Amino acid sequence: MSEKFTDDIFDLKNDRRLSVYLYRAGFGAWLLYIVSGARFMQSVRIYRTDFGVFSFFLMVMALSTSMIYDYYHNPTEFAQKKKWLAISYVVLAGLVYFFILNNKPVSLEYLLGQGLF
């Protein structure tokens, strides 16, 4: 991999490729979420919720990275996406709270006891 490629992909102000890659990865995780509900995928059914939350996470990150490009090149689109990004973060926080943390109160002791940090 050349240095030029990595410089270009992380130039979010002038290049949309990273957001496109994140959208595609989010769509792939969404497809895994759908397929993991089938009978022949019994071995990965326990990860179905994780696939769904990860898909939503990738889509929100893609929206965030595409907004950087829109801030500099499309100010009207940026203003519209700003509202949707705020709503997306609230929904993502709700998904993580209900499906990942299982409605347990969030505290530092709980996170450290689970081995997340």
Side-chain angles (χ1 to χ4, degrees):
M1 197 181 279
S2 71
E3 221 176 277
K4 178 71 174 148
F5 176 75
T6 56
D7 287 344
D8 288 345
I9 196 169
F10 293 112
D11 182 20
L12 299 176
K13 184 170 83 171
N14 295 315
D15 195 358
R16 287 189 165 215
R17 282 185 294 167
L18 183 61
S19 65
V20 171
Y21 296 151
L22 287 171
Y23 276 124
R24 290 177 182 169
F27 183 70
W30 178 72
L31 289 176
L32 279 173
Y33 169 76
I34 291 173
V35 171
S36 64
R39 280 194 187 141
F40 68 91
M41 297 289 284
Q42 288 289 330
S43 61
V44 294
R45 186 173 289 222
I46 59 172
Y47 301 111
R48 189 164 194 242
T49 303
D50 295 335
F51 290 147
V53 172
F54 187 61
S55 169
F56 194 79
F57 172 76
L58 287 173
M59 295 288 189
V60 170
M61 290 300 106
L63 178 62
S64 300
T65 56
S66 72
M67 284 183 63
I68 295 171
Y69 179 85
D70 289 335
Y71 178 77
Y72 291 101
H73 300 284
N74 303 317
T76 55
E77 285 183 29
F78 175 77
Q80 182 182 11
K81 286 181 179 179
K82 219 172 15 178
K83 298 168 189 135
W84 286 108
L85 185 65
I87 292 169
S88 298
Y89 277 133
V90 169
V91 170
L92 182 61
L95 286 173
V96 167
Y97 178 72
F98 288 113
F99 292 116
I100 305 297
L101 297 176
N102 299 321
N103 292 333
K104 295 179 182 171
V106 181
S107 66
L108 188 58
E109 294 83 22
Y110 172 73
L111 293 175
L112 292 175
Q114 294 293 318
L116 296 176
F117 295 109

